[in-house]
Amino acid sequence: MKYEVKGIRGEVEAGFPSIKEVGLPAFYDAIKQGADLNSSLVYTLISLMTKVEDTTILWRKNMDTLIEVQQQAQEILDLGSVFTTEGLEAIHQLDKEFIKENISPGGSADLLSITIGIYLLENKQFPMSIL
């Protein structure tokens, strides 16, 4: 309410647009590019972080931090994300920064888990080994 965002309730009411428009397309894209399961999940999470009004970040920090996280995630995608050395280095650096600053994209992570659930409902299994 403080930031006038709809959060997860808005996602549910709107039929999970972040999953339909970002999460599932990103996961399918990663699979198409031959990524392993972990890389596919990381790519999908970073993709979701670019768009989600993550209330976990808002709760722990503020709107400026959320906007910065969205921009950092977009920069990682622009660097090639899990598909390039530069993108992977940026992901590792962002992880260190988040740990240091106690930033958690928990809302995006929740949407990632729902994305995977929907993928499995549609496809019954992952197209790659989970080990």
Side-chain angles (χ1 to χ4, degrees), residues 9-23:
R9 288 183 182 157
E11 278 286 329
V12 173
E13 289 173 359
F16 293 104
S18 293
I19 293 171
K20 287 191 256 183
E21 297 167 13
V22 180

Side-chain angles (χ1 to χ4, degrees), residues 6-63:
K6 295 179 181 176
I8 192 63
R9 288 183 182 157
E11 278 286 329
V12 173
E13 289 173 359
F16 293 104
S18 293
I19 293 171
K20 287 191 256 183
E21 297 167 13
V22 180
L24 281 170
F27 193 69
Y28 277 105
D29 183 42
I31 291 167
K32 182 179 178 184
Q33 292 191 55
D36 63 23
L37 182 58
N38 186 67
S39 295
S40 297
L41 295 171
V42 171
Y43 178 69
T44 304
L45 176 62
I46 297 292
S47 298
L48 285 163
M49 288 166 51
T50 67
K51 303 293 183 193
V52 172
E53 292 178 334
D54 198 311
T55 54
T56 304
I57 294 171
L58 291 174
W59 180 72
R60 287 187 178 194
K61 295 294 182 177
N62 54 46
M63 182 60 79

Side-chain angles (χ1 to χ4, degrees), residues 1 3 16 19 22 32 52 65 85 91 96 100:
M1 293 176 75
Y3 296 106
F16 293 104
I19 293 171
V22 180
K32 182 179 178 184
V52 172
T65 302
T85 302
I91 290 167
K96 289 177 186 175
K100 179 181 174 188

